[in-house]
Amino acid sequence: MRTCPEHYIDYMHDYLDGDITREHEQELKKHMQSCVSCQQHMHELSDTVAFVKSATHITAPPQFEANVMRRLPKRKNAIGIQKWLRRHPIIVAAAVFFLLMGATLMASYPNDDQFSVTTQANLVVDGQTVIVPKGEVVKGDVVVKNGNLIIEGEVDGNVTVINGSYMASTAVVSGQVEEINEAFDWLWYRMKKMANDVIALFE
């Protein structure tokens, strides 16, 4: 990654913030297909974002800051890896958690060809194509897997297309539209959904 142009890092931050343009997103994805270092950096950024979102409502116990300051070493000592691991169990636990979470999410990546669509009124299914007819309003989220989605009417919710294509003419979608066609997109989609579910538990 150190040999890659620095604007790819800016594109990663824009992508995670939801501010990236379609052109920059396509350029970033194309670059990451052949750059393992940038893929790793993006995964680390995604892990950090998900962790921060899941911890927004967590408060430290009383006297936490005073106890931490009291336990800080007075001087910097050279310590071995085992001693460091014993002194930082929270960091180790967080690293193991993210490792297992990433492996679990990647294992759930849809690698089958089975077509599926969420059950919503006013949807027309023609083979592996789902259509929101003109003049119809679909209330709620629409998720299409291994198929195509054509919106001619309106969707009052989010739209997610996994391993397919999204087409709209005069469509009005009140929520977010996501096309997930690669493992990278799938991992980010699952992490955002998990973070939102965790945040919802605390609200």
Side-chain angles (χ1 to χ4, degrees), residues 3-142:
T3 59
C4 298
E6 292 189 6
H7 69 266
Y8 285 122
I9 304 299
D10 295 332
Y11 290 174
M12 290 181 194
H13 289 286
D14 290 342
Y15 183 90
L16 295 175
D17 293 337
D19 297 329
I20 193 169
T21 63
R22 187 68 176 171
E23 180 183 352
H24 290 171
E25 181 180 359
Q26 291 175 349
E27 182 181 350
L28 175 63
K29 289 180 181 179
K30 183 177 180 181
H31 170 72
M32 290 182 62
Q33 287 177 352
S34 60
C35 182
V36 178
S37 297
C38 285
Q39 291 176 15
Q40 178 64 31
H41 187 67
M42 186 62 156
H43 288 310
E44 291 171 357
L45 290 175
S46 300
D47 290 346
T48 302
V49 169
F51 181 77
V52 170
K53 286 184 177 179
S54 67
T56 53
H57 297 282
I58 298 175
T59 57
Q63 304 300 322
F64 176 79
E65 182 178 355
N67 291 336
V68 170
M69 295 301 294
R70 188 169 50 251
R71 292 184 183 184
L72 288 175
K74 301 302 180 185
R75 58 182 179 178
K76 189 175 180 181
N77 297 321
I79 56 176
I81 186 65
Q82 292 180 349
K83 194 171 184 180
W84 186 90
L85 292 175
R86 285 195 301 269
R87 287 189 176 188
H88 302 86
I90 295 177
I91 296 176
V92 174
V96 172
F97 169 76
F98 284 122
L99 180 64
L100 294 176
M101 183 180 68
T104 301
L105 292 178
M106 289 306 296
S108 67
Y109 178 71
N111 53 11
D112 57 52
D113 295 328
Q114 185 176 359
F115 167 78
S116 65
V117 60
T118 51
T119 304
Q120 296 285 6
N122 303 332
L123 288 179
V124 175
V125 179
D126 182 12
Q128 290 187 319
T129 300
V130 180
I131 303 171
V132 179
K134 187 174 183 179
E136 297 289 344
V137 178
V138 175
K139 300 278 188 182
D141 297 343
V142 177

